[in-house]
Amino acid sequence: MAQNNAQPLSLAARKLQAEADAVLDQMFGYFTREEAPRQALDAQRRAA
C-alpha cells in the first residue's frame, strides 16, 4: 500500500508524474484509435 506523506511533491516529481501520465494517455489513445479502423474495414468487407 502506498504511503501517504504529508510533504508536497517536488517540482521534479510533479514533472515526472506529468510525463508518465502523458505517456499513458498516448498509449491509451493508440490502442483505442487502433480499434476503430479495424471495425470500419470489417464493415466495408462485409458490405462488399
Side-chain angles (χ1 to χ4, degrees):
M1 183 175 267
Q3 293 179 353
N4 189 5
N5 294 338
Q7 280 183 315
L9 290 176
S10 69
L11 185 58
R14 280 184 267 158
K15 183 178 178 186
L16 186 63
Q17 189 159 13
E19 289 173 355
D21 288 344
V23 168
L24 289 175
D25 287 343
Q26 186 177 12
M27 289 172 60
F28 181 76
Y30 171 79
F31 286 114
T32 56
R33 181 177 59 243
E34 198 63 27
E35 292 299 318
R38 288 186 187 154
Q39 291 172 357
L41 287 175
D42 288 343
Q44 287 176 352
R45 286 185 194 133
R46 286 187 206 122

